[in-house]
Amino acid sequence: MHTADSTAWAEAFGVHHGFVDRALQQRLRRLQDMEEELRALYAAFRDAPDDELLLSIRSATRSMTQAVECLQIAIRQISRGSA
């Protein structure tokens, strides 16, 4: 479920309604940084003999990518709602 309710986002982050976009953009950058770090970890462990470890890191990377996409969608919806 995607929500464009900027008031709910403001309450969730404890920010004034006027700062929701900035708060979401900051968190998006953090998620993107974490996604990149997970990709780097996967590359570093690529030749590790532990398939379960590789699968776990790959799964975490996919989940982080999905989280980034969800937050990007929310940001676009909020931007459209305030336009």
Side-chain angles (χ1 to χ4, degrees):
M1 175 184 210
H2 300 291
T3 178
D5 186 350
S6 59
T7 301
W9 283 106
E11 290 174 3
F13 292 136
V15 298
H16 183 273
H17 189 272
F19 295 106
V20 171
D21 186 59
R22 182 184 304 171
L24 288 172
Q25 291 294 340
Q26 288 172 343
R27 282 151 178 92
L28 176 60
R29 280 190 294 279
R30 288 177 63 193
L31 286 177
Q32 289 169 328
D33 289 345
M34 288 189 284
E35 178 187 22
E36 185 60 34
E37 182 64 26
L38 283 169
R39 289 182 193 282
L41 282 170
Y42 181 76
F45 284 101
R46 179 179 50 236
D47 297 325
D50 188 335
D51 290 339
E52 188 174 343
L53 173 65
L54 291 173
L55 181 62
S56 296
I57 295 171
R58 195 174 330 140
S59 177
T61 303
R62 282 194 300 266
S63 293
M64 187 59 66
T65 299
Q66 186 176 8
V68 165
E69 291 170 359
C70 288
L71 190 52
Q72 289 170 330
I73 290 168
I75 290 169
R76 282 194 301 271
Q77 287 178 338
I78 288 172
S79 294
R80 285 185 204 129
S82 64

